[in-house]
Amino acid sequence: MTDHYKGTRMIIVQVVHRVGLFRSALVALLRCEETLDVSASPRRPGRQGAHGPSPHVWVTDIDCLDDPARTGRSGPGNGQGGMGALLVLTSARKPGALLRAFEAGALGYVNKDGDPSRLIEGIHQVARGERFVDDSLACDFLQATKIPLTPRELSALALAAQGAPIGEIAKSLNLSSGTIRNYLASAIRKVGARNRMDAIRISQDAGWL
């Protein structure tokens, strides 16, 4: 893997994953690439300066975007005053998840079911400040902006997915119970579901929830 990048600068990479086994596996994989200086943590530490140079690239799983890693915004990834570029690992057919990653400032998107060489390529590309979208995710990325549900509908559906009753959802969102019923009915209709549980399943499968 190193021949293609011979002569390039050393890239500081921080792997962020809450699951230790996955975190260790990613580190072991990336350390096979001589141009990468790799470390890891279960979550993103404080801002630059606390433990040496800021990473050029943060690598995290799409499911870990609720961790502090999602606060990093993408940039040139020079490690000098910036937070570095964010690269996320995701699966195909999850346009909603891709949208969340985009809103979190991700610059790179790699299919975790693909070839490891694509991850290496993605790291080098985002370290140069260039966007990287895995070919297998291109269609999903285009569809990510086509989520049919409004933020209010998503909020109501997300609370319903947690088992909250109508009254509790209404209280959480400072809305009337009738309005919540209308939002849920609209969500069911928009995603082509049979009922509320089906709408939740469809939305979760698409990565919207």
Side-chain angles (χ1 to χ4, degrees), residues 82-193:
M83 293 300 290
L86 176 62
L87 182 149
V88 297
L89 303 171
T90 185
S91 299
R93 297 181 295 281
K94 294 283 186 179
L98 286 177
L99 180 60
R100 291 203 313 273
F102 181 80
E103 291 174 342
L107 194 60
Y109 307 81
V110 174
N111 190 340
K112 56 187 175 184
D113 297 315
D115 192 286
S117 64
R118 296 294 285 165
L119 175 57
I120 302 298
E121 183 180 351
I123 289 172
H124 279 83
Q125 194 156 319
V126 301
R128 297 193 298 267
E130 302 170 4
R131 186 171 300 284
F132 180 88
V133 180
D134 213 325
D135 294 342
S136 59
L137 300 175
C139 290
D140 293 332
F141 199 81
L142 291 174
Q143 294 173 4
T145 58
K146 300 178 181 179
I147 293 177
L149 305 180
T150 67
R152 284 291 195 181
E153 290 165 350
L154 280 171
S155 296
L157 203 59
L159 289 170
Q162 296 171 18
I166 295 292
E168 185 177 326
I169 297 173
K171 185 177 180 180
S172 297
L173 300 179
N174 295 314
L175 297 169
S176 70
S177 295
T179 299
I180 295 302
R181 288 191 182 91
N182 289 338
Y183 280 144
L184 291 175
S186 176
I188 292 169
R189 183 181 67 256
K190 285 182 177 179
V191 303

Side-chain angles (χ1 to χ4, degrees), residues 15 17-28:
V15 172
H17 203 296
R18 64 173 68 95
V19 180
L21 183 61
F22 292 164
R23 190 169 63 245
S24 298
L26 276 172
V27 169

Side-chain angles (χ1 to χ4, degrees), residues 33-108:
E33 173 58 49
E34 296 177 0
T35 60
L36 305 181
D37 180 1
V38 187
S39 57
S41 63
R43 58 177 56 245
R44 195 164 187 260
R47 289 197 170 264
Q48 172 191 352
H51 303 286
S54 176
H56 300 121
V57 179
W58 298 89
V59 175
T60 187
D61 192 279
I62 196 88
D63 295 329
C64 296
L65 283 182
D66 287 337
D67 284 346
R70 76 174 299 165
T71 62
R73 313 312 273 182
S74 296
N78 56 19
Q80 299 174 356
M83 293 300 290
L86 176 62
L87 182 149
V88 297
L89 303 171
T90 185
S91 299
R93 297 181 295 281
K94 294 283 186 179
L98 286 177
L99 180 60
R100 291 203 313 273
F102 181 80
E103 291 174 342
L107 194 60

